[in-house]
CSV table of all heavy atoms in Angstrom, one decimal:
chain,number,residue,atom,x,y,z
A,736,GLU,N,-15.0,-12.9,3.2
A,736,GLU,CA,-15.4,-13.9,4.2
A,736,GLU,C,-16.9,-14.0,4.3
A,736,GLU,O,-17.5,-15.1,4.4
A,736,GLU,CB,-14.9,-13.5,5.6
A,736,GLU,CG,-13.4,-13.7,5.8
A,736,GLU,CD,-12.9,-15.1,5.6
A,736,GLU,OE1,-13.6,-16.1,6.0
A,736,GLU,OE2,-11.9,-15.3,5.0
A,737,ALA,N,-17.6,-12.9,4.2
A,737,ALA,CA,-19.1,-12.9,4.1
A,737,ALA,C,-19.6,-13.7,2.9
A,737,ALA,O,-20.5,-14.5,3.1
A,737,ALA,CB,-19.6,-11.4,4.1
A,738,LEU,N,-19.0,-13.4,1.8
A,738,LEU,CA,-19.4,-14.1,0.6
A,738,LEU,C,-19.1,-15.6,0.7
A,738,LEU,O,-19.9,-16.5,0.3
A,738,LEU,CB,-18.8,-13.6,-0.7
A,738,LEU,CG,-19.2,-12.2,-1.1
A,738,LEU,CD1,-18.3,-11.6,-2.2
A,738,LEU,CD2,-20.7,-12.3,-1.6
A,739,LYS,N,-18.0,-15.9,1.3
A,739,LYS,CA,-17.6,-17.3,1.5
A,739,LYS,C,-18.6,-18.0,2.4
A,739,LYS,O,-19.0,-19.2,2.2
A,739,LYS,CB,-16.2,-17.4,2.1
A,739,LYS,CG,-15.6,-18.7,2.1
A,739,LYS,CD,-14.1,-18.6,2.5
A,739,LYS,CE,-13.4,-20.0,2.5
A,739,LYS,NZ,-12.0,-19.9,2.9
A,740,ALA,N,-19.0,-17.4,3.5
A,740,ALA,CA,-20.0,-17.9,4.4
A,740,ALA,C,-21.3,-18.2,3.7
A,740,ALA,O,-22.1,-19.1,4.1
A,740,ALA,CB,-20.2,-17.0,5.6
A,741,GLU,N,-21.6,-17.4,2.7
A,741,GLU,CA,-22.8,-17.6,1.9
A,741,GLU,C,-22.7,-18.7,0.8
A,741,GLU,O,-23.6,-18.9,0.0
A,741,GLU,CB,-23.3,-16.3,1.3
A,741,GLU,CG,-23.7,-15.3,2.4
A,741,GLU,CD,-23.9,-13.9,1.7
A,741,GLU,OE1,-24.1,-13.8,0.5
A,741,GLU,OE2,-24.0,-12.9,2.5
A,742,GLY,N,-21.5,-19.2,0.6
A,742,GLY,CA,-21.2,-20.2,-0.4
A,742,GLY,C,-21.0,-19.5,-1.8
A,742,GLY,O,-21.3,-20.2,-2.8
A,743,LYS,N,-20.6,-18.3,-1.8
A,743,LYS,CA,-20.6,-17.5,-3.1
A,743,LYS,C,-19.1,-17.3,-3.6
A,743,LYS,O,-18.8,-16.2,-4.1
A,743,LYS,CB,-21.3,-16.2,-3.0
A,743,LYS,CG,-22.8,-16.4,-2.7
A,743,LYS,CD,-23.5,-15.0,-2.6
A,743,LYS,CE,-24.9,-15.2,-2.4
A,743,LYS,NZ,-25.6,-13.9,-2.4
A,744,GLN,N,-18.3,-18.3,-3.4
A,744,GLN,CA,-16.9,-18.2,-3.8
A,744,GLN,C,-16.7,-18.2,-5.3
A,744,GLN,O,-15.7,-17.8,-5.8
A,744,GLN,CB,-16.0,-19.3,-3.3
A,744,GLN,CG,-16.0,-19.4,-1.8
A,744,GLN,CD,-16.9,-20.4,-1.2
A,744,GLN,OE1,-18.1,-20.4,-1.6
A,744,GLN,NE2,-16.5,-21.2,-0.3
A,745,LYS,N,-17.7,-18.6,-6.1
A,745,LYS,CA,-17.5,-18.7,-7.5
A,745,LYS,C,-18.2,-17.5,-8.2
A,745,LYS,O,-18.2,-17.5,-9.5
A,745,LYS,CB,-18.2,-20.0,-8.0
A,745,LYS,CG,-17.6,-21.2,-7.4
A,745,LYS,CD,-17.0,-22.1,-8.4
A,745,LYS,CE,-16.5,-23.4,-7.7
A,745,LYS,NZ,-15.2,-23.7,-8.1
A,746,THR,N,-18.6,-16.5,-7.5
A,746,THR,CA,-19.3,-15.4,-8.1
A,746,THR,C,-18.2,-14.4,-8.7
A,746,THR,O,-17.1,-14.4,-8.3
A,746,THR,CB,-20.2,-14.6,-7.1
A,746,THR,OG1,-19.3,-14.1,-6.1
A,746,THR,CG2,-21.2,-15.5,-6.5
A,747,ALA,N,-18.7,-13.6,-9.6
A,747,ALA,CA,-17.8,-12.5,-10.2
A,747,ALA,C,-17.4,-11.6,-9.1
A,747,ALA,O,-16.2,-11.1,-9.1
A,747,ALA,CB,-18.5,-11.8,-11.3
A,748,GLN,N,-18.2,-11.2,-8.2
A,748,GLN,CA,-17.9,-10.3,-7.1
A,748,GLN,C,-16.8,-10.8,-6.3
A,748,GLN,O,-15.8,-10.1,-5.9
A,748,GLN,CB,-19.1,-10.0,-6.3
A,748,GLN,CG,-18.8,-8.9,-5.2
A,748,GLN,CD,-20.0,-8.6,-4.3
A,748,GLN,OE1,-20.9,-9.4,-4.2
A,748,GLN,NE2,-20.0,-7.4,-3.7
A,749,PHE,N,-16.9,-12.1,-5.9
A,749,PHE,CA,-15.8,-12.7,-5.1
A,749,PHE,C,-14.5,-12.7,-5.8
A,749,PHE,O,-13.4,-12.4,-5.2
A,749,PHE,CB,-16.2,-14.2,-4.7
A,749,PHE,CG,-15.3,-14.8,-3.7
A,749,PHE,CD1,-15.4,-14.7,-2.4
A,749,PHE,CD2,-14.2,-15.5,-4.2
A,749,PHE,CE1,-14.5,-15.3,-1.5
A,749,PHE,CE2,-13.3,-16.1,-3.3
A,749,PHE,CZ,-13.5,-16.0,-2.0
A,750,ARG,N,-14.5,-13.0,-7.1
A,750,ARG,CA,-13.3,-13.1,-7.9
A,750,ARG,C,-12.7,-11.7,-8.1
A,750,ARG,O,-11.5,-11.5,-8.0
A,750,ARG,CB,-13.6,-13.8,-9.2
A,750,ARG,CG,-13.9,-15.2,-9.0
A,750,ARG,CD,-14.2,-15.9,-10.3
A,750,ARG,NE,-14.5,-17.3,-10.0
A,750,ARG,CZ,-14.7,-18.2,-10.9
A,750,ARG,NH1,-14.7,-17.9,-12.2
A,750,ARG,NH2,-15.0,-19.5,-10.6
A,751,GLU,N,-13.5,-10.7,-8.2
A,751,GLU,CA,-13.0,-9.3,-8.3
A,751,GLU,C,-12.4,-8.9,-7.0
A,751,GLU,O,-11.3,-8.3,-7.0
A,751,GLU,CB,-14.2,-8.4,-8.7
A,751,GLU,CG,-14.6,-8.5,-10.1
A,751,GLU,CD,-15.9,-7.7,-10.4
A,751,GLU,OE1,-16.5,-7.0,-9.4
A,751,GLU,OE2,-16.3,-7.6,-11.5
A,752,LEU,N,-13.0,-9.2,-5.9
A,752,LEU,CA,-12.4,-8.9,-4.6
A,752,LEU,C,-11.1,-9.7,-4.4
A,752,LEU,O,-10.2,-9.1,-3.8
A,752,LEU,CB,-13.4,-9.3,-3.5
A,752,LEU,CG,-14.7,-8.4,-3.4
A,752,LEU,CD1,-15.7,-9.0,-2.4
A,752,LEU,CD2,-14.3,-7.0,-2.9
A,753,PHE,N,-11.1,-10.9,-4.8
A,753,PHE,CA,-9.8,-11.7,-4.7
A,753,PHE,C,-8.7,-11.0,-5.5
A,753,PHE,O,-7.6,-10.9,-5.0
A,753,PHE,CB,-10.1,-13.1,-5.2
A,753,PHE,CG,-8.9,-14.0,-5.0
A,753,PHE,CD1,-8.5,-14.4,-3.7
A,753,PHE,CD2,-8.1,-14.4,-6.1
A,753,PHE,CE1,-7.4,-15.3,-3.6
A,753,PHE,CE2,-7.0,-15.2,-5.9
A,753,PHE,CZ,-6.6,-15.6,-4.7
A,754,ALA,N,-9.0,-10.6,-6.7
A,754,ALA,CA,-8.0,-9.9,-7.5
A,754,ALA,C,-7.6,-8.6,-6.8
A,754,ALA,O,-6.4,-8.3,-6.8
A,754,ALA,CB,-8.6,-9.6,-8.9
A,755,GLU,N,-8.5,-7.9,-6.3
A,755,GLU,CA,-8.1,-6.6,-5.6
A,755,GLU,C,-7.2,-6.9,-4.4
A,755,GLU,O,-6.3,-6.2,-4.1
A,755,GLU,CB,-9.4,-5.9,-5.1
A,755,GLU,CG,-9.1,-4.5,-4.5
A,755,GLU,CD,-10.3,-3.7,-4.1
A,755,GLU,OE1,-11.4,-4.2,-4.4
A,755,GLU,OE2,-10.1,-2.7,-3.4
A,756,LYS,N,-7.6,-8.0,-3.6
A,756,LYS,CA,-6.8,-8.4,-2.5
A,756,LYS,C,-5.4,-8.7,-2.9
A,756,LYS,O,-4.4,-8.3,-2.2
A,756,LYS,CB,-7.4,-9.6,-1.8
A,756,LYS,CG,-6.7,-10.0,-0.5
A,756,LYS,CD,-7.4,-11.2,0.2
A,756,LYS,CE,-6.7,-11.6,1.4
A,756,LYS,NZ,-7.3,-12.7,2.1
A,757,LEU,N,-5.2,-9.5,-4.0
A,757,LEU,CA,-3.9,-9.8,-4.5
A,757,LEU,C,-3.1,-8.5,-4.9
A,757,LEU,O,-1.9,-8.4,-4.6
A,757,LEU,CB,-3.9,-10.8,-5.6
A,757,LEU,CG,-4.4,-12.2,-5.3
A,757,LEU,CD1,-4.4,-13.0,-6.6
A,757,LEU,CD2,-3.4,-12.8,-4.3
A,758,THR,N,-3.8,-7.6,-5.5
A,758,THR,CA,-3.1,-6.4,-6.0
A,758,THR,C,-2.7,-5.6,-4.8
A,758,THR,O,-1.5,-5.1,-4.8
A,758,THR,CB,-4.1,-5.5,-6.8
A,758,THR,OG1,-4.5,-6.3,-7.9
A,758,THR,CG2,-3.5,-4.2,-7.2
A,759,ILE,N,-3.5,-5.5,-3.7
A,759,ILE,CA,-3.1,-4.8,-2.5
A,759,ILE,C,-1.9,-5.5,-1.9
A,759,ILE,O,-0.9,-4.8,-1.5
A,759,ILE,CB,-4.3,-4.6,-1.6
A,759,ILE,CG1,-5.4,-3.7,-2.1
A,759,ILE,CG2,-3.8,-4.2,-0.2
A,759,ILE,CD1,-6.7,-3.7,-1.4
A,760,GLN,N,-2.0,-6.8,-1.8
A,760,GLN,CA,-0.9,-7.5,-1.1
A,760,GLN,C,0.4,-7.3,-1.9
A,760,GLN,O,1.5,-7.2,-1.3
A,760,GLN,CB,-1.2,-9.0,-1.1
A,760,GLN,CG,-2.2,-9.4,0.0
A,760,GLN,CD,-2.6,-10.8,0.0
A,760,GLN,OE1,-2.5,-11.5,-1.0
A,760,GLN,NE2,-3.2,-11.3,1.1
A,761,ASN,N,0.4,-7.3,-3.2
A,761,ASN,CA,1.6,-7.1,-4.0
A,761,ASN,C,2.1,-5.7,-3.8
A,761,ASN,O,3.4,-5.6,-3.8
A,761,ASN,CB,1.3,-7.4,-5.5
A,761,ASN,CG,1.1,-8.8,-5.8
A,761,ASN,OD1,1.6,-9.7,-5.1
A,761,ASN,ND2,0.4,-9.1,-6.9
Side-chain angles (χ1 to χ4, degrees):
E736 289 298 322
L738 289 170
K739 193 174 183 180
E741 297 172 14
K743 296 184 177 180
Q744 299 97 311
K745 303 244 184 225
T746 64
Q748 183 180 25
F749 186 90
R750 291 176 182 187
E751 287 172 357
L752 289 169
F753 184 73
E755 183 178 356
K756 183 177 179 180
L757 289 178
T758 301
I759 292 170
Q760 286 175 339
N761 286 336

